[in-house]
């Protein structure tokens, strides 16, 4: 009982410390992203701020295979386990990536402002016309040389496991003739699981796997299955694709 109480108190202190660090470091980063001209400069600033947060929390981001993304116009697809995932990839990936995010985030005022200043693309999932319009916009961006980041599960849950993939990322990759790079995020579910608001200590690392060349697959479905199988193998969590 005493040990459990001490553990709970220590976690509470760490969680409060983590939120304090987040506010102190993200606030000036947000101001900088709003004021600094130039998209690439803003993305570099966001990357530095995200790295600073995890460094201050004693969890510097380790990214294996990042050199595979240098000077590569591609579509990154990653597993989704926590609200921290976007910040982790901001810290881990080069500053030339455009995040593709569900439109619900555009209704969060500060998040909407920050994400738009970083060039993020919002996608509506429940309106066919809006989805088609977003798909054309993403294909145009990819053909123009943008590198895109998707979380193809679209959401996350508290229990470990990889959910079913939506096909939008893979259709965009095939239509724009860009490779798909599966990326695996470890540790964020432990640090901030769904329905929890106090972070806990955890080791976070990112693994960038070999690209999958979209023209090697007959359709978006086959490409999605290959990317999902790659992530499942490296992630080591159950298959909850149902």
């Amino acid at each position: 009982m005493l040990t459990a109480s001490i553990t709970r108190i220590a976690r509470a202190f760490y969680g409060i410390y983590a939120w304090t660090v987040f506010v102190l470091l993200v606030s000036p980063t947000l101001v900088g992203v709003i004021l600094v001209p130039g998209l690439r400069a803003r993305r570099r600033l966001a990357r530095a701020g995200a790295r600073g947060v995890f460094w201050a929390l004693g969890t510097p981001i380790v990214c294996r295979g990042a050199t595979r993304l240098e000077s590569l116009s591609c579509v990154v697809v990653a597993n989704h386990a926590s609200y921290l995932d976007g910040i982790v990839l901001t810290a881990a990936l080069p500053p030339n990536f455009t995040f593709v995010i569900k439109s619900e985030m555009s209704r969060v005022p500060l998040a909407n402002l920050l994400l738009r200043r970083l060039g993020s693309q919002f996608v509506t999932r429940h309106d066919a016309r809006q989805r088609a319009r977003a798909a054309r916009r993403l294909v145009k961006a990819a053909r123009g040389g943008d590198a895109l980041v998707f979380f193809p599960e679209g959401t996350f849950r508290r229990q470990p496991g990889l959910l079913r993939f939506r096909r939008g990322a893979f259709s965009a990759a095939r239509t724009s003739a860009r490779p798909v790079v599966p990326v695996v995020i470890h540790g964020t579910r432990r640090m901030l699981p769904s329905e929890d608001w106090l972070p806990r200590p955890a080791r976070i690392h990112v693994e960038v796997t070999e690209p999958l060349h979209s023209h090697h697959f007959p359709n978006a479905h086959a490409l999605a299955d290959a990317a999902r199988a790659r992530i499942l193998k490296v992630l080591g969590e159950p298959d909850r694709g149902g």
Side-chain angles (χ1 to χ4, degrees):
M1 286 289 293
L2 180 60
T3 302
S5 297
I6 292 173
T7 300
R8 284 195 296 270
I9 293 171
R11 284 182 176 175
F13 272 112
Y14 180 86
I16 294 169
Y17 167 73
W19 275 111
T20 303
V21 166
F22 187 82
V23 170
L24 290 177
L25 291 182
V26 169
S27 297
T29 301
L30 175 60
V31 172
V33 167
I34 293 172
L35 298 179
V36 168
L39 178 59
R40 192 168 182 84
R42 292 194 292 268
R43 286 177 173 174
R44 284 176 175 163
L45 178 60
R47 185 174 189 247
R51 288 185 165 213
V53 166
F54 289 106
W55 180 85
L57 294 179
T59 312
I61 300 298
V62 176
C63 184
R64 302 189 184 101
T67 55
R68 295 187 175 120
L69 297 174
E70 293 177 0
S71 304
L72 180 64
S73 176
C74 63
V75 174
V76 161
V77 293
N79 60 301
H80 201 11
S82 169
Y83 286 113
L84 295 174
D85 294 332
I87 305 173
V88 167
L89 289 190
T90 298
L93 301 181
N96 61 313
F97 279 86
T98 296
F99 284 76
V100 181
I101 299 168
K102 59 185 180 182
S103 60
E104 289 88 337
M105 290 301 295
S106 66
R107 294 196 285 269
V108 182
L110 276 178
N112 176 40
L113 177 60
L114 176 63
L115 292 170
R116 288 190 185 280
R117 289 291 289 171
L118 294 174
S120 302
Q121 297 276 357
F122 294 96
V123 175
T124 302
R125 297 178 293 173
H126 308 298
D127 184 310
R129 184 178 299 177
Q130 292 290 338
R131 285 202 308 271
R133 188 178 301 163
R136 290 192 295 270
R137 191 172 67 244
L138 294 174
V139 167
K140 181 179 179 181
R143 284 175 171 166
D146 279 8
L148 304 176
V149 179
F150 288 80
F151 294 107
E153 292 168 278
T155 188
F156 57 88
R157 297 176 181 170
R158 188 180 185 88
Q159 67 269 35
L162 193 67
L163 304 178
R164 180 176 60 89
F165 275 10
R166 299 171 185 271
R167 306 299 178 197
F170 308 97
S171 296
R174 278 186 51 80
T175 304
S176 60
R178 293 295 181 268
V180 168
V181 181
V183 168
V184 182
I185 305 170
H186 299 272
T188 55
R189 197 190 312 272
R190 175 173 175 76
M191 190 171 198
L192 188 64
S194 177
E195 302 171 14
D196 277 14
W197 291 103
L198 285 179
R200 62 188 68 178
R203 296 178 62 187
I204 295 176
H205 64 278
V206 176
E207 296 187 54
V208 180
T209 72
E210 293 282 351
L212 297 170
H213 297 285
S214 56
H215 60 274
H216 291 171
F217 297 86
N219 51 48
H221 184 90
L223 179 57
D225 285 349
R228 192 170 180 278
R230 174 83 61 79
I231 290 175
L232 264 175
K233 181 179 179 180
V234 177
L235 182 62
E237 290 187 0
D239 184 347
R240 300 194 186 275

